[in-house]
Coordinates of all heavy atoms in Angstrom, one line a residue:
M209 N -0.3 -0.6 11.2 CA 0.0 -0.1 9.9 C -0.9 1.1 9.6 O -2.1 1.0 9.8 CB -0.1 -1.2 8.8 CG 0.0 -0.8 7.4 SD -0.3 -2.1 6.2 CE 0.9 -3.3 6.7
S210 N -0.3 2.2 9.1 CA -1.1 3.3 8.8 C -1.9 3.1 7.5 O -1.6 2.2 6.7 CB -0.2 4.5 8.6 OG 0.5 4.5 7.3
E211 N -3.0 3.8 7.4 CA -3.8 3.7 6.2 C -3.0 4.0 4.9 O -3.2 3.4 3.9 CB -5.1 4.6 6.3 CG -6.1 4.3 5.3 CD -7.4 5.1 5.5 OE1 -7.3 6.2 6.1 OE2 -8.4 4.6 5.0
Q212 N -2.2 5.1 5.0 CA -1.3 5.4 3.9 C -0.4 4.2 3.4 O -0.3 3.9 2.2 CB -0.5 6.7 4.2 CG -1.3 7.9 4.3 CD -0.5 9.1 4.7 OE1 0.5 9.0 5.3 NE2 -0.9 10.3 4.2
T213 N 0.2 3.7 4.4 CA 1.1 2.5 4.1 C 0.3 1.4 3.5 O 0.7 0.7 2.5 CB 1.8 2.1 5.4 OG1 2.7 3.2 5.8 CG2 2.8 0.9 5.2
Y214 N -0.8 1.1 4.1 CA -1.7 0.0 3.6 C -2.0 0.2 2.1 O -1.9 -0.7 1.3 CB -3.0 0.0 4.4 CG -4.0 -1.0 3.9 CD1 -3.9 -2.4 4.2 CD2 -5.0 -0.7 3.1 CE1 -4.8 -3.3 3.8 CE2 -6.0 -1.6 2.6 CZ -5.8 -2.9 2.9 OH -6.7 -3.8 2.5
F215 N -2.4 1.4 1.7 CA -2.8 1.7 0.3 C -1.6 1.7 -0.6 O -1.7 1.3 -1.7 CB -3.6 2.9 0.2 CG -5.1 2.7 0.5 CD1 -5.6 3.0 1.7 CD2 -5.9 2.0 -0.4 CE1 -6.9 2.8 2.1 CE2 -7.2 1.7 -0.1 CZ -7.7 2.1 1.2
V216 N -0.4 2.1 -0.1 CA 0.8 2.1 -0.9 C 1.1 0.6 -1.2 O 1.4 0.2 -2.4 CB 2.0 2.8 -0.2 CG1 3.3 2.4 -0.9 CG2 1.8 4.3 -0.2
L217 N 1.1 -0.2 -0.2 CA 1.4 -1.7 -0.4 C 0.3 -2.3 -1.3 O 0.7 -3.1 -2.2 CB 1.5 -2.4 0.9 CG 2.7 -2.0 1.8 CD1 2.6 -2.7 3.1 CD2 4.0 -2.2 1.1
A218 N -0.9 -2.0 -1.1 CA -2.0 -2.5 -1.9 C -1.8 -2.1 -3.4 O -2.1 -2.9 -4.3 CB -3.4 -2.1 -1.4
A219 N -1.4 -0.9 -3.6 CA -1.1 -0.4 -5.0 C -0.1 -1.3 -5.7 O -0.1 -1.5 -6.9 CB -0.7 1.0 -5.0
L220 N 0.8 -1.8 -4.9 CA 1.9 -2.6 -5.5 C 1.6 -4.1 -5.7 O 2.4 -4.9 -6.3 CB 3.2 -2.5 -4.7 CG 3.8 -1.0 -4.7 CD1 4.9 -0.9 -3.7 CD2 4.3 -0.7 -6.1
L221 N 0.4 -4.5 -5.2 CA 0.1 -6.0 -5.3 C 0.0 -6.5 -6.7 O 0.2 -7.6 -7.0 CB -1.2 -6.2 -4.6 CG -1.1 -6.3 -3.0 CD1 -2.5 -6.3 -2.4 CD2 -0.1 -7.3 -2.6
D222 N -0.4 -5.6 -7.7 CA -0.6 -6.0 -9.1 C 0.7 -5.9 -9.9 O 0.7 -6.3 -11.1 CB -1.7 -5.1 -9.7 CG -3.0 -5.5 -9.2 OD1 -3.3 -6.6 -8.7 OD2 -3.9 -4.5 -9.2
G223 N 1.7 -5.4 -9.3 CA 3.0 -5.4 -10.0 C 3.7 -4.1 -9.8 O 3.2 -3.2 -9.1
P224 N 5.0 -4.0 -10.2 CA 5.8 -2.8 -10.0 C 5.2 -1.5 -10.5 O 4.7 -1.6 -11.6 CB 7.2 -3.2 -10.7 CG 7.1 -4.6 -10.8 CD 5.7 -5.0 -11.0
L225 N 5.5 -0.5 -9.7 CA 5.0 0.9 -10.2 C 6.0 1.9 -9.8 O 6.8 1.7 -8.9 CB 3.7 1.3 -9.5 CG 2.5 0.4 -9.8 CD1 1.3 0.8 -8.9 CD2 2.0 0.6 -11.3
H226 N 6.1 3.0 -10.6 CA 6.9 4.1 -10.2 C 6.1 5.1 -9.3 O 4.9 4.9 -9.2 CB 7.5 4.9 -11.4 CG 6.4 5.4 -12.4 ND1 5.8 6.6 -12.1 CD2 6.0 4.9 -13.5 CE1 4.9 6.8 -13.1 NE2 5.0 5.7 -14.0
G227 N 6.8 6.0 -8.7 CA 6.2 6.9 -7.7 C 4.9 7.5 -8.1 O 3.9 7.5 -7.4
H228 N 4.9 8.2 -9.3 CA 3.7 8.9 -9.7 C 2.5 7.9 -9.9 O 1.4 8.2 -9.6 CB 4.0 9.7 -11.0 CG 2.8 10.6 -11.5 ND1 2.3 11.6 -10.8 CD2 2.0 10.4 -12.5 CE1 1.3 12.1 -11.3 NE2 1.1 11.4 -12.5
A229 N 2.8 6.8 -10.5 CA 1.7 5.8 -10.7 C 1.2 5.2 -9.3 O 0.0 4.9 -9.2 CB 2.3 4.6 -11.5
I230 N 2.1 5.1 -8.3 CA 1.6 4.7 -7.0 C 0.7 5.8 -6.4 O -0.4 5.4 -5.9 CB 2.8 4.5 -6.0 CG1 3.7 3.3 -6.5 CG2 2.4 4.4 -4.6 CD1 5.0 3.2 -5.8
I231 N 1.0 7.1 -6.6 CA 0.1 8.1 -6.1 C -1.2 8.0 -6.7 O -2.2 8.1 -6.0 CB 0.8 9.5 -6.3 CG1 2.0 9.7 -5.4 CG2 -0.2 10.6 -6.1 CD1 2.9 10.9 -5.7
K232 N -1.3 7.9 -8.0 CA -2.5 7.8 -8.7 C -3.3 6.6 -8.3 O -4.5 6.6 -8.1 CB -2.3 7.8 -10.2 CG -1.8 9.1 -10.8 CD -1.5 9.0 -12.3 CE -2.7 8.7 -13.1 NZ -2.4 8.7 -14.5
K233 N -2.6 5.4 -8.2 CA -3.4 4.2 -7.8 C -3.9 4.3 -6.3 O -5.0 3.8 -6.0 CB -2.4 2.9 -7.9 CG -3.2 1.6 -7.8 CD -2.7 0.7 -8.7 CE -3.5 -0.6 -8.6 NZ -3.1 -1.7 -9.4
V234 N -3.1 4.9 -5.5 CA -3.6 5.1 -4.1 C -4.9 5.9 -4.1 O -5.8 5.6 -3.4 CB -2.5 5.7 -3.2 CG1 -3.1 6.2 -1.9 CG2 -1.4 4.7 -2.9
V235 N -4.9 7.0 -4.9 CA -6.2 7.8 -5.0 C -7.3 6.9 -5.5 O -8.4 7.0 -4.9 CB -6.0 9.0 -5.9 CG1 -7.2 9.7 -6.2 CG2 -5.0 10.0 -5.3
D236 N -7.1 6.2 -6.5 CA -8.1 5.3 -7.0 C -8.6 4.2 -6.0 O -9.8 4.1 -5.8 CB -7.6 4.5 -8.3 CG -7.5 5.4 -9.5 OD1 -8.0 6.6 -9.4 OD2 -6.8 5.0 -10.4
L237 N -7.6 3.5 -5.4 CA -8.0 2.5 -4.4 C -8.7 3.0 -3.2 O -9.6 2.3 -2.7 CB -6.7 1.7 -4.0 CG -6.0 0.8 -5.0 CD1 -4.7 0.2 -4.5 CD2 -7.0 -0.3 -5.5
S238 N -8.3 4.2 -2.8 CA -8.9 4.8 -1.6 C -10.2 5.6 -1.9 O -10.8 6.2 -1.1 CB -8.0 5.7 -0.8 OG -7.6 6.8 -1.6
Q239 N -10.6 5.6 -3.2 CA -11.7 6.4 -3.7 C -11.6 7.8 -3.3 O -12.5 8.5 -2.9 CB -13.0 5.8 -3.2 CG -13.2 4.3 -3.6 CD -14.5 3.7 -3.1 OE1 -15.0 4.1 -2.1 NE2 -14.9 2.7 -3.7
G240 N -10.3 8.3 -3.5 CA -10.1 9.7 -3.3 C -9.8 10.2 -1.9 O -9.5 11.3 -1.6
R241 N -9.9 9.3 -0.9 CA -9.7 9.6 0.5 C -8.3 10.0 0.8 O -8.0 10.8 1.7 CB -10.2 8.5 1.4 CG -11.7 8.5 1.6 CD -12.1 7.5 2.8 NE -11.1 6.6 3.3 CZ -10.9 5.4 2.7 NH1 -11.7 4.9 1.7 NH2 -10.1 4.5 3.2
I242 N -7.3 9.3 0.1 CA -5.9 9.5 0.4 C -5.2 10.1 -0.8 O -5.3 9.5 -1.9 CB -5.3 8.1 0.8 CG1 -6.0 7.6 2.1 CG2 -3.8 8.3 1.0 CD1 -5.5 6.3 2.5
T243 N -4.6 11.2 -0.6 CA -3.7 11.8 -1.6 C -2.3 12.0 -1.0 O -2.3 12.6 0.1 CB -4.3 13.1 -2.1 OG1 -4.5 14.0 -1.0 CG2 -5.6 12.9 -2.9
L244 N -1.3 11.5 -1.6 CA 0.0 11.5 -1.1 C 0.8 12.6 -1.7 O 0.9 12.6 -3.0 CB 0.7 10.1 -1.3 CG 0.1 8.9 -0.6 CD1 0.7 7.7 -1.1 CD2 0.2 9.1 0.9
A245 N 1.5 13.4 -1.0 CA 2.5 14.3 -1.5 C 3.7 13.5 -1.9 O 4.0 12.5 -1.3 CB 2.8 15.4 -0.4
V246 N 4.4 14.0 -2.9 CA 5.6 13.4 -3.4 C 6.6 13.1 -2.3 O 7.1 12.0 -2.1 CB 6.2 14.1 -4.6 CG1 7.5 13.5 -5.0 CG2 5.2 14.2 -5.8
G247 N 6.8 14.1 -1.5 CA 7.8 13.9 -0.4 C 7.4 12.9 0.6 O 8.2 12.1 1.1
T248 N 6.1 12.9 1.0 CA 5.5 11.9 1.9 C 5.7 10.5 1.3 O 6.1 9.5 2.0 CB 4.1 12.2 2.2 OG1 4.0 13.5 2.7 CG2 3.4 11.2 3.1
L249 N 5.3 10.3 0.0 CA 5.5 9.0 -0.6 C 6.9 8.5 -0.6 O 7.1 7.3 -0.2 CB 4.9 9.1 -2.1 CG 5.2 7.8 -2.8 CD1 4.3 6.7 -2.3 CD2 4.9 8.0 -4.3
Y250 N 7.8 9.3 -1.0 CA 9.2 8.8 -1.1 C 9.8 8.6 0.2 O 10.6 7.6 0.4 CB 10.0 9.7 -2.0 CG 9.8 9.4 -3.5 CD1 8.9 10.2 -4.2 CD2 10.3 8.3 -4.1 CE1 8.7 9.9 -5.5 CE2 10.1 8.0 -5.4 CZ 9.2 8.8 -6.1 OH 9.0 8.5 -7.4
G251 N 9.4 9.3 1.2 CA 9.9 9.0 2.6 C 9.3 7.6 3.0 O 10.0 6.8 3.6
A252 N 8.0 7.4 2.7 CA 7.4 6.0 3.1 C 8.1 4.9 2.3 O 8.4 3.8 2.8 CB 5.9 6.1 2.8
L253 N 8.3 5.2 1.0 CA 9.0 4.1 0.1 C 10.3 3.8 0.6 O 10.7 2.6 0.7 CB 9.0 4.6 -1.3 CG 7.6 4.7 -2.0 CD1 7.8 5.3 -3.4 CD2 6.9 3.3 -2.1
D254 N 11.1 4.8 1.0 CA 12.5 4.6 1.5 C 12.4 3.7 2.8 O 13.2 2.8 3.0 CB 13.2 5.9 1.8 CG 13.6 6.6 0.5 OD1 13.6 5.9 -0.6 OD2 13.9 7.8 0.6
R255 N 11.5 4.1 3.8 CA 11.3 3.3 5.0 C 10.9 1.9 4.7 O 11.4 0.9 5.3 CB 10.3 3.9 5.9 CG 10.8 5.1 6.7 CD 9.8 5.6 7.8 NE 8.6 6.0 7.2 CZ 8.2 7.1 6.7 NH1 9.1 8.1 6.5 NH2 7.0 7.4 6.2
L256 N 9.9 1.7 3.8 CA 9.4 0.3 3.4 C 10.6 -0.5 2.8 O 10.8 -1.7 3.1 CB 8.2 0.4 2.5 CG 7.0 1.0 3.2 CD1 5.9 1.3 2.1 CD2 6.4 0.0 4.2
A257 N 11.4 0.2 2.0 CA 12.5 -0.6 1.4 C 13.6 -0.9 2.4 O 14.1 -2.1 2.4 CB 13.1 0.3 0.2
A258 N 13.9 0.0 3.3 CA 14.8 -0.3 4.4 C 14.4 -1.5 5.2 O 15.2 -2.2 5.7 CB 15.1 0.9 5.2
N259 N 13.1 -1.7 5.4 CA 12.5 -2.8 6.2 C 12.2 -4.0 5.4 O 11.7 -5.0 5.9 CB 11.2 -2.3 6.9 CG 11.5 -1.3 8.0 OD1 12.5 -1.4 8.7 ND2 10.7 -0.3 8.1
G260 N 12.6 -4.1 4.1 CA 12.4 -5.3 3.3 C 11.1 -5.5 2.8 O 10.7 -6.7 2.4
V261 N 10.2 -4.5 2.9 CA 8.8 -4.7 2.6 C 8.5 -4.5 1.1 O 7.7 -5.1 0.5 CB 7.8 -3.8 3.5 CG1 6.4 -3.9 3.1 CG2 8.1 -4.0 4.9
I262 N 9.3 -3.6 0.5 CA 9.3 -3.4 -0.9 C 10.8 -3.3 -1.4 O 11.7 -3.2 -0.6 CB 8.7 -2.0 -1.3 CG1 9.4 -0.8 -0.8 CG2 7.2 -2.1 -0.9 CD1 8.9 0.5 -1.3
T263 N 11.0 -3.4 -2.6 CA 12.3 -3.3 -3.2 C 12.3 -2.5 -4.5 O 11.2 -2.4 -5.2 CB 13.0 -4.7 -3.4 OG1 14.3 -4.5 -3.8 CG2 12.2 -5.5 -4.5
V264 N 13.4 -1.9 -4.9 CA 13.5 -1.2 -6.2 C 13.7 -2.3 -7.2 O 14.7 -3.0 -7.1 CB 14.6 -0.1 -6.2 CG1 14.7 0.4 -7.6 CG2 14.3 0.9 -5.1
E265 N 12.8 -2.5 -8.1 CA 12.9 -3.5 -9.2 C 13.9 -3.0 -10.3 O 14.7 -3.8 -10.8 CB 11.6 -3.9 -9.7 CG 11.7 -4.9 -10.8 CD 10.5 -5.6 -11.1 OE1 10.1 -6.6 -10.3 OE2 9.9 -5.3 -12.1
R266 N 13.7 -1.7 -10.7 CA 14.5 -1.2 -11.7 C 14.5 0.3 -11.7 O 13.6 0.9 -11.1 CB 14.1 -1.7 -13.1 CG 12.8 -1.3 -13.6 CD 12.4 -1.9 -15.0 NE 11.2 -1.3 -15.5 CZ 10.0 -1.6 -15.3 NH1 9.7 -2.5 -14.3 NH2 9.0 -0.9 -15.9
E267 N 15.4 0.9 -12.4 CA 15.5 2.3 -12.6 C 15.6 2.6 -14.0 O 16.3 1.9 -14.8 CB 16.6 2.9 -11.8 CG 16.6 2.8 -10.3 CD 17.7 3.3 -9.6 OE1 18.6 3.9 -10.2 OE2 17.7 3.3 -8.3
E268 N 15.0 3.7 -14.5 CA 15.2 4.2 -15.8 C 15.3 5.7 -15.8 O 14.8 6.3 -14.9 CB 14.1 3.6 -16.8 CG 12.8 4.1 -16.4 CD 11.7 3.4 -17.3 OE1 11.9 2.3 -17.8 OE2 10.6 4.1 -17.4
V269 N 15.8 6.3 -16.9 CA 15.8 7.7 -17.0 C 14.7 8.2 -18.0 O 14.6 7.6 -19.1 CB 17.1 8.2 -17.4 CG1 17.1 9.8 -17.6 CG2 18.2 7.9 -16.4
V270 N 13.8 9.0 -17.6 CA 12.7 9.5 -18.4 C 12.8 11.0 -18.4 O 12.7 11.6 -17.3 CB 11.3 9.0 -17.9 CG1 10.2 9.6 -18.8 CG2 11.3 7.5 -17.9
N271 N 12.9 11.7 -19.6 CA 13.0 13.1 -19.7 C 14.1 13.7 -18.7 O 13.9 14.7 -18.1 CB 11.7 13.7 -19.4 CG 10.6 13.4 -20.4 OD1 10.9 13.2 -21.5 ND2 9.4 13.4 -19.9
G272 N 15.2 12.9 -18.7 CA 16.4 13.4 -17.9 C 16.2 13.2 -16.4 O 17.1 13.5 -15.6
R273 N 15.1 12.5 -16.0 CA 15.0 12.3 -14.5 C 14.9 10.8 -14.3 O 14.3 10.0 -15.0 CB 13.7 12.9 -14.1 CG 13.7 14.4 -14.2 CD 12.4 15.0 -13.7 NE 12.5 15.0 -12.3 CZ 11.5 15.4 -11.5 NH1 10.4 15.9 -12.1 NH2 11.6 15.3 -10.2
K274 N 15.6 10.4 -13.1 CA 15.6 9.0 -12.8 C 14.2 8.6 -12.3 O 13.6 9.3 -11.4 CB 16.6 8.7 -11.7 CG 16.8 7.3 -11.3 CD 18.0 7.0 -10.5 CE 17.9 7.7 -9.1 NZ 19.0 7.3 -8.2
R275 N 13.7 7.5 -12.8 CA 12.4 6.9 -12.3 C 12.7 5.5 -11.7 O 13.2 4.7 -12.4 CB 11.5 6.8 -13.5 CG 10.1 6.2 -13.2 CD 9.2 6.1 -14.3 NE 8.7 7.5 -14.7 CZ 8.0 7.7 -15.8 NH1 7.6 6.7 -16.6 NH2 7.5 8.9 -16.0
R276 N 12.3 5.3 -10.5 CA 12.4 4.1 -9.8 C 11.1 3.3 -9.8 O 10.1 3.9 -9.5 CB 12.9 4.2 -8.4 CG 14.3 4.8 -8.3 CD 14.8 4.8 -6.8 NE 14.1 5.7 -6.1 CZ 14.1 5.9 -4.7 NH1 14.9 5.1 -4.0 NH2 13.4 6.8 -4.2
Y277 N 11.2 2.0 -10.1 CA 10.0 1.2 -10.0 C 10.1 0.3 -8.8 O 11.1 -0.4 -8.6 CB 9.9 0.3 -11.3 CG 9.4 1.0 -12.5 CD1 10.3 1.8 -13.2 CD2 8.1 1.0 -12.9 CE1 9.9 2.5 -14.4 CE2 7.7 1.6 -14.1 CZ 8.6 2.4 -14.7 OH 8.1 3.1 -15.9
F278 N 9.1 0.3 -8.0 CA 9.1 -0.5 -6.8 C 8.2 -1.7 -6.9 O 7.2 -1.7 -7.5 CB 8.5 0.5 -5.6 CG 9.4 1.7 -5.4 CD1 9.1 2.9 -6.1 CD2 10.4 1.6 -4.5 CE1 9.9 4.0 -5.9 CE2 11.2 2.7 -4.3 CZ 10.9 3.9 -4.9
R279 N 8.6 -2.7 -6.2 CA 7.9 -4.1 -6.2 C 7.8 -4.4 -4.8 O 8.7 -4.3 -3.9 CB 8.8 -5.1 -6.9 CG 8.1 -6.4 -6.9 CD 9.0 -7.5 -7.6 NE 10.4 -7.6 -7.1 CZ 10.7 -8.2 -6.1 NH1 9.9 -8.9 -5.3 NH2 12.0 -8.3 -5.7
I280 N 6.6 -5.0 -4.4 CA 6.3 -5.4 -3.1 C 7.0 -6.8 -2.9 O 7.1 -7.6 -3.9 CB 4.8 -5.6 -2.8 CG1 4.5 -5.7 -1.3 CG2 4.1 -6.6 -3.7 CD1 3.1 -5.5 -0.9
T281 N 7.6 -7.1 -1.7 CA 8.2 -8.3 -1.5 C 7.2 -9.4 -0.9 O 6.1 -9.0 -0.6 CB 9.4 -8.2 -0.4 OG1 8.8 -7.7 0.8 CG2 10.4 -7.2 -0.9
D282 N 7.6 -10.6 -0.8 CA 6.7 -11.6 -0.2 C 6.3 -11.1 1.2 O 5.2 -11.3 1.6 CB 7.4 -13.0 -0.2 CG 7.5 -13.6 -1.5 OD1 6.8 -13.1 -2.5 OD2 8.3 -14.5 -1.7
E283 N 7.3 -10.6 2.0 CA 7.0 -10.1 3.3 C 6.0 -9.0 3.3 O 5.0 -9.0 4.1 CB 8.3 -9.6 4.0 CG 8.1 -9.1 5.4 CD 9.3 -8.6 6.0 OE1 10.5 -8.8 5.5 OE2 9.2 -7.9 7.1
G284 N 6.1 -8.1 2.4 CA 5.2 -7.0 2.2 C 3.8 -7.5 1.9 O 2.8 -7.0 2.4
S285 N 3.7 -8.4 1.0 CA 2.4 -9.0 0.6 C 1.8 -9.6 1.8 O 0.5 -9.5 2.0 CB 2.6 -10.1 -0.5 OG 3.0 -9.5 -1.7
G286 N 2.5 -10.4 2.6 CA 2.0 -11.0 3.7 C 1.5 -10.0 4.8 O 0.4 -10.1 5.4
M287 N 2.2 -8.9 4.9 CA 1.8 -7.8 5.9 C 0.5 -7.1 5.4 O -0.4 -7.0 6.3 CB 2.9 -6.7 5.9 CG 4.1 -7.1 6.7 SD 5.4 -5.8 6.7 CE 4.5 -4.4 7.4
V288 N 0.4 -6.8 4.1 CA -0.8 -6.1 3.7 C -2.0 -7.1 3.7 O -3.2 -6.6 4.1 CB -0.6 -5.4 2.3 CG1 -0.6 -6.4 1.2 CG2 -1.7 -4.3 2.1
E289 N -1.8 -8.3 3.4 CA -2.9 -9.3 3.5 C -3.4 -9.5 4.9 O -4.5 -9.6 5.2 CB -2.5 -10.6 2.8 CG -2.4 -10.5 1.3 CD -1.7 -11.6 0.6 OE1 -1.4 -12.6 1.3 OE2 -1.4 -11.5 -0.6
A290 N -2.4 -9.6 5.8 CA -2.7 -9.7 7.3 C -3.5 -8.5 7.8 O -4.5 -8.6 8.5 CB -1.5 -10.0 8.1
E291 N -3.1 -7.4 7.4 CA -3.8 -6.1 7.7 C -5.2 -6.1 7.2 O -6.1 -5.7 7.9 CB -3.0 -4.9 7.3 CG -3.7 -3.6 7.6 CD -3.7 -3.3 9.1 OE1 -3.2 -4.1 10.0 OE2 -4.3 -2.3 9.5
A292 N -5.4 -6.6 5.9 CA -6.8 -6.6 5.4 C -7.7 -7.6 6.1 O -8.8 -7.3 6.4 CB -6.7 -7.1 3.9
R293 N -7.1 -8.8 6.6 CA -7.9 -9.7 7.4 C -8.3 -9.1 8.7 O -9.3 -9.2 9.2 CB -7.1 -11.0 7.6 CG -7.1 -11.9 6.4 CD -6.6 -13.3 6.6 NE -5.2 -13.2 7.1 CZ -4.1 -13.2 6.4 NH1 -4.3 -13.2 5.0 NH2 -2.9 -13.2 6.8
R294 N -7.3 -8.4 9.3 CA -7.5 -7.7 10.6 C -8.6 -6.7 10.5 O -9.5 -6.6 11.3 CB -6.3 -7.0 11.1 CG -6.4 -6.4 12.6 CD -5.3 -5.5 12.9 NE -5.3 -4.2 12.1 CZ -6.2 -3.3 12.3 NH1 -7.2 -3.4 13.3 NH2 -6.1 -2.2 11.6
M295 N -8.6 -5.9 9.4 CA -9.6 -4.8 9.2 C -11.0 -5.5 9.0 O -12.0 -5.0 9.5 CB -9.3 -3.9 8.1 CG -8.1 -3.0 8.5 SD -7.8 -1.7 7.3 CE -7.3 -2.5 5.8
Q296 N -11.0 -6.6 8.2 CA -12.2 -7.3 7.9 C -12.8 -7.9 9.2 O -14.1 -7.8 9.4 CB -11.9 -8.4 6.9 CG -13.2 -9.1 6.4 CD -12.9 -10.1 5.4 OE1 -11.8 -10.8 5.4 NE2 -13.7 -10.2 4.3
Q297 N -12.0 -8.4 10.1 CA -12.5 -9.0 11.3 C -13.0 -7.8 12.2 O -14.1 -8.0 12.9 CB -11.4 -9.7 12.0 CG -11.1 -11.1 11.4 CD -9.8 -11.7 11.9 OE1 -9.0 -11.0 12.6 NE2 -9.6 -12.9 11.5
A298 N -12.3 -6.7 12.3 CA -12.8 -5.6 13.1 C -14.1 -5.0 12.5 O -15.0 -4.7 13.3 CB -11.7 -4.5 13.1
A299 N -14.2 -5.0 11.3 CA -15.5 -4.4 10.7 C -16.6 -5.4 10.9 O -17.8 -4.9 11.1 CB -15.3 -4.2 9.1
A300 N -16.4 -6.7 11.0 CA -17.4 -7.6 11.2 C -18.1 -7.4 12.5 O -19.3 -7.7 12.7 CB -16.9 -9.1 11.1
V301 N -17.4 -6.9 13.5 CA -17.9 -6.6 14.9 C -19.0 -5.6 14.7 O -20.1 -5.7 15.3 CB -16.8 -6.2 15.8 CG1 -17.4 -5.7 17.1 CG2 -15.8 -7.3 16.1
V302 N -18.8 -4.6 13.8 CA -19.8 -3.5 13.7 C -20.9 -3.9 12.7 O -22.0 -3.5 13.0 CB -19.0 -2.2 13.3 CG1 -20.0 -1.1 13.0 CG2 -18.0 -1.8 14.4
T303 N -20.5 -4.6 11.7 CA -21.5 -4.8 10.6 C -22.4 -6.0 10.9 O -23.4 -6.3 10.2 CB -20.8 -5.0 9.3 OG1 -20.0 -6.1 9.3 CG2 -20.1 -3.8 8.8
G304 N -22.2 -6.7 12.0 CA -23.1 -7.7 12.5 C -22.8 -9.1 11.9 O -23.7 -10.0 12.1
R305 N -21.7 -9.3 11.3 CA -21.4 -10.7 10.8 C -21.0 -11.7 11.9 O -21.0 -12.9 11.7 CB -20.3 -10.7 9.7 CG -20.7 -10.0 8.5 CD -19.7 -10.2 7.4 NE -19.6 -8.9 6.7 CZ -18.7 -8.6 5.9 NH1 -17.7 -9.4 5.7 NH2 -18.6 -7.5 5.3
R306 N -20.7 -11.1 13.1 CA -20.4 -11.9 14.2 C -21.6 -12.0 15.1 O -22.3 -11.1 15.2 CB -19.2 -11.1 14.9 CG -18.5 -11.9 15.9 CD -17.2 -11.2 16.3 NE -16.8 -11.8 17.5 CZ -16.8 -11.1 18.7 NH1 -17.1 -9.9 18.7 NH2 -16.4 -11.8 19.8
N307 N -21.7 -13.1 15.8 CA -22.8 -13.3 16.7 C -22.6 -12.6 18.0 O -21.9 -13.2 18.9 CB -23.0 -14.8 16.9 CG -24.2 -15.1 17.8 OD1 -24.9 -14.2 18.3 ND2 -24.4 -16.4 18.1
L308 N -23.0 -11.4 18.1 CA -22.7 -10.6 19.3 C -23.5 -11.0 20.5 O -23.2 -10.8 21.6 CB -23.0 -9.1 19.0 CG -22.0 -8.4 18.0 CD1 -22.4 -7.0 17.7 CD2 -20.6 -8.5 18.5
G309 N -24.7 -11.6 20.2 CA -25.5 -12.1 21.3 C -24.8 -13.1 22.2 O -25.0 -13.1 23.4
A310 N -23.9 -14.0 21.6 CA -23.2 -14.9 22.4 C -22.2 -14.2 23.3 O -21.9 -14.7 24.4 CB -22.5 -15.9 21.5
T311 N -21.7 -13.1 22.9 CA -20.7 -12.4 23.7 C -21.4 -11.7 24.9 O -20.8 -11.7 26.0 CB -20.1 -11.3 22.9 OG1 -19.5 -11.9 21.7 CG2 -19.0 -10.6 23.6
F312 N -22.6 -11.2 24.8 CA -23.2 -10.5 25.8 C -24.3 -11.2 26.5 O -24.9 -10.8 27.5 CB -23.9 -9.1 25.2 CG -22.8 -8.2 24.6 CD1 -22.7 -8.1 23.3 CD2 -21.9 -7.6 25.5 CE1 -21.8 -7.2 22.7 CE2 -20.9 -6.8 24.9 CZ -20.9 -6.6 23.6
G313 N -24.6 -12.4 26.0 CA -25.8 -13.1 26.6 C -25.5 -14.0 27.7 O -26.0 -14.3 28.6

């Protein structure tokens, strides 16, 4: 899973958001490391929706423009949580939480 996809899914864990709110939340969650262009975001959202990882919860018109709110599915939640565990385990190898002496000794 790409880092951008990870943060998009993480942004949706607290509830449905529209595209601009997702962009802002990704910046916050990544501490400014990831900024998504609108086109990049909507391409990713369309792919995630096609794969059943997110769904459009509702649509509304704001200032004459359609705004879609996206919600993460149970499958999407499972994917992002599994990725978080995988990254935590990988980080543990470097940060020393794992007994490396047993591996090399």
